[in-house]
mmCIF file of all heavy atoms in Angstrom:
data_model
loop_
_atom_site.group_PDB
_atom_site.id
_atom_site.type_symbol
_atom_site.label_atom_id
_atom_site.label_comp_id
_atom_site.label_asym_id
_atom_site.label_seq_id
_atom_site.Cartn_x
_atom_site.Cartn_y
_atom_site.Cartn_z
ATOM 1 N N ALA A 241 9.075 -25.305 -9.484
ATOM 2 C CA ALA A 241 7.684 -25.535 -9.078
ATOM 3 C C ALA A 241 7.289 -24.359 -8.181
ATOM 4 O O ALA A 241 7.324 -24.451 -6.956
ATOM 5 C CB ALA A 241 7.535 -26.853 -8.343
ATOM 6 N N PRO A 242 6.918 -23.223 -8.769
ATOM 7 C CA PRO A 242 6.708 -22.004 -7.978
ATOM 8 C C PRO A 242 5.496 -22.095 -7.070
ATOM 9 O O PRO A 242 4.497 -22.734 -7.394
ATOM 10 C CB PRO A 242 6.526 -20.921 -9.039
ATOM 11 C CG PRO A 242 6.078 -21.647 -10.246
ATOM 12 C CD PRO A 242 6.730 -22.987 -10.209
ATOM 13 N N SER A 243 5.608 -21.437 -5.946
ATOM 14 C CA SER A 243 4.497 -21.321 -5.008
ATOM 15 C C SER A 243 3.734 -20.038 -5.313
ATOM 16 O O SER A 243 3.817 -19.505 -6.424
ATOM 17 C CB SER A 243 5.025 -21.329 -3.577
ATOM 18 O OG SER A 243 3.977 -21.254 -2.643
ATOM 19 N N ASN A 244 3.005 -19.517 -4.322
ATOM 20 C CA ASN A 244 2.170 -18.335 -4.561
ATOM 21 C C ASN A 244 2.970 -17.073 -4.854
ATOM 22 O O ASN A 244 2.460 -16.173 -5.516
ATOM 23 C CB ASN A 244 1.282 -18.066 -3.342
ATOM 24 C CG ASN A 244 0.014 -18.902 -3.358
ATOM 25 O OD1 ASN A 244 -0.124 -19.816 -4.155
ATOM 26 N ND2 ASN A 244 -0.909 -18.588 -2.491
ATOM 27 N N THR A 245 4.195 -16.964 -4.327
ATOM 28 C CA THR A 245 4.949 -15.724 -4.497
ATOM 29 C C THR A 245 6.428 -16.020 -4.724
ATOM 30 O O THR A 245 6.924 -17.094 -4.396
ATOM 31 C CB THR A 245 4.833 -14.802 -3.254
ATOM 32 O OG1 THR A 245 5.566 -15.381 -2.164
ATOM 33 C CG2 THR A 245 3.390 -14.600 -2.849
ATOM 34 N N SER A 246 7.120 -15.026 -5.264
ATOM 35 C CA SER A 246 8.579 -15.039 -5.299
ATOM 36 C C SER A 246 9.087 -14.370 -4.025
ATOM 37 O O SER A 246 8.313 -14.023 -3.127
ATOM 38 C CB SER A 246 9.080 -14.306 -6.542
ATOM 39 O OG SER A 246 8.720 -12.932 -6.482
ATOM 40 N N LEU A 247 10.410 -14.136 -3.955
ATOM 41 C CA LEU A 247 10.993 -13.481 -2.780
ATOM 42 C C LEU A 247 11.108 -11.975 -2.941
ATOM 43 O O LEU A 247 11.115 -11.246 -1.951
ATOM 44 C CB LEU A 247 12.388 -14.048 -2.501
ATOM 45 C CG LEU A 247 12.456 -15.425 -1.845
ATOM 46 C CD1 LEU A 247 13.900 -15.889 -1.796
ATOM 47 C CD2 LEU A 247 11.859 -15.398 -0.452
ATOM 48 N N GLY A 248 11.230 -11.488 -4.192
ATOM 49 C CA GLY A 248 11.532 -10.070 -4.350
ATOM 50 C C GLY A 248 12.874 -9.765 -3.724
ATOM 51 O O GLY A 248 13.896 -10.332 -4.080
ATOM 52 N N ARG A 249 12.859 -8.896 -2.697
ATOM 53 C CA ARG A 249 14.082 -8.601 -1.945
ATOM 54 C C ARG A 249 13.959 -9.067 -0.491
ATOM 55 O O ARG A 249 14.765 -8.694 0.361
ATOM 56 C CB ARG A 249 14.374 -7.087 -2.027
ATOM 57 C CG ARG A 249 15.729 -6.706 -1.524
ATOM 58 C CD ARG A 249 16.138 -5.312 -1.883
ATOM 59 N NE ARG A 249 16.581 -5.188 -3.259
ATOM 60 C CZ ARG A 249 17.678 -5.738 -3.754
ATOM 61 N NH1 ARG A 249 18.449 -6.491 -2.985
ATOM 62 N NH2 ARG A 249 18.005 -5.574 -5.015
ATOM 63 N N ILE A 250 12.949 -9.871 -0.171
ATOM 64 C CA ILE A 250 12.813 -10.416 1.181
ATOM 65 C C ILE A 250 14.033 -11.275 1.511
ATOM 66 O O ILE A 250 14.400 -12.170 0.745
ATOM 67 C CB ILE A 250 11.534 -11.256 1.308
ATOM 68 C CG1 ILE A 250 10.289 -10.389 1.166
ATOM 69 C CG2 ILE A 250 11.503 -11.992 2.643
ATOM 70 C CD1 ILE A 250 8.994 -11.178 1.104
ATOM 71 N N GLY A 251 14.669 -11.003 2.641
ATOM 72 C CA GLY A 251 15.854 -11.742 3.045
ATOM 73 C C GLY A 251 17.113 -11.312 2.338
ATOM 74 O O GLY A 251 18.195 -11.856 2.593
ATOM 75 N N ILE A 252 16.994 -10.330 1.449
ATOM 76 C CA ILE A 252 18.135 -9.850 0.670
ATOM 77 C C ILE A 252 18.149 -8.323 0.756
ATOM 78 O O ILE A 252 18.129 -7.609 -0.237
ATOM 79 C CB ILE A 252 18.043 -10.331 -0.795
ATOM 80 C CG1 ILE A 252 17.682 -11.813 -0.849
ATOM 81 C CG2 ILE A 252 19.365 -10.094 -1.523
ATOM 82 C CD1 ILE A 252 17.397 -12.340 -2.230
ATOM 83 N N GLY A 253 18.117 -7.834 1.982
ATOM 84 C CA GLY A 253 18.072 -6.401 2.237
ATOM 85 C C GLY A 253 17.127 -6.040 3.359
ATOM 86 O O GLY A 253 17.247 -4.985 3.975
ATOM 87 N N TYR A 254 16.155 -6.913 3.649
ATOM 88 C CA TYR A 254 15.267 -6.687 4.785
ATOM 89 C C TYR A 254 14.670 -8.006 5.262
ATOM 90 O O TYR A 254 14.652 -9.007 4.527
ATOM 91 C CB TYR A 254 14.164 -5.686 4.469
ATOM 92 C CG TYR A 254 13.312 -5.985 3.257
ATOM 93 C CD1 TYR A 254 12.218 -6.841 3.320
ATOM 94 C CD2 TYR A 254 13.583 -5.379 2.023
ATOM 95 C CE1 TYR A 254 11.413 -7.093 2.210
ATOM 96 C CE2 TYR A 254 12.793 -5.630 0.908
ATOM 97 C CZ TYR A 254 11.714 -6.483 1.007
ATOM 98 O OH TYR A 254 10.931 -6.738 -0.089
ATOM 99 N N VAL A 255 14.183 -8.004 6.504
ATOM 100 C CA VAL A 255 13.454 -9.133 7.067
ATOM 101 C C VAL A 255 11.972 -8.899 6.799
ATOM 102 O O VAL A 255 11.459 -7.787 6.991
ATOM 103 C CB VAL A 255 13.710 -9.253 8.581
ATOM 104 C CG1 VAL A 255 12.852 -10.351 9.198
ATOM 105 C CG2 VAL A 255 15.191 -9.520 8.842
ATOM 106 N N TYR A 256 11.274 -9.935 6.360
ATOM 107 C CA TYR A 256 9.868 -9.805 5.975
ATOM 108 C C TYR A 256 9.014 -9.333 7.151
ATOM 109 O O TYR A 256 9.028 -9.927 8.226
ATOM 110 C CB TYR A 256 9.360 -11.138 5.454
ATOM 111 C CG TYR A 256 7.920 -11.141 4.996
ATOM 112 C CD1 TYR A 256 7.421 -10.128 4.180
ATOM 113 C CD2 TYR A 256 7.060 -12.162 5.369
ATOM 114 C CE1 TYR A 256 6.112 -10.132 3.746
ATOM 115 C CE2 TYR A 256 5.739 -12.186 4.935
ATOM 116 C CZ TYR A 256 5.271 -11.167 4.128
ATOM 117 O OH TYR A 256 3.967 -11.170 3.707
ATOM 118 N N THR A 257 8.229 -8.286 6.912
ATOM 119 C CA THR A 257 7.378 -7.726 7.964
ATOM 120 C C THR A 257 6.299 -8.695 8.420
ATOM 121 O O THR A 257 5.969 -8.742 9.595
ATOM 122 C CB THR A 257 6.728 -6.421 7.463
ATOM 123 O OG1 THR A 257 5.884 -5.897 8.462
ATOM 124 C CG2 THR A 257 5.924 -6.641 6.191
ATOM 125 N N ASP A 258 5.705 -9.444 7.508
ATOM 126 C CA ASP A 258 4.656 -10.437 7.746
ATOM 127 C C ASP A 258 3.300 -9.796 8.070
ATOM 128 O O ASP A 258 3.199 -8.620 8.400
ATOM 129 C CB ASP A 258 5.033 -11.394 8.873
ATOM 130 C CG ASP A 258 4.692 -12.843 8.512
ATOM 131 O OD1 ASP A 258 3.622 -13.077 7.917
ATOM 132 O OD2 ASP A 258 5.515 -13.727 8.800
#
Side-chain angles (χ1 to χ4, degrees):
S243 182
N244 276 11
T245 71
S246 64
L247 284 173
R249 191 167 282 293
I250 294 173
I252 314 173
Y254 54 84
V255 175
Y256 181 46
T257 179
D258 223 320

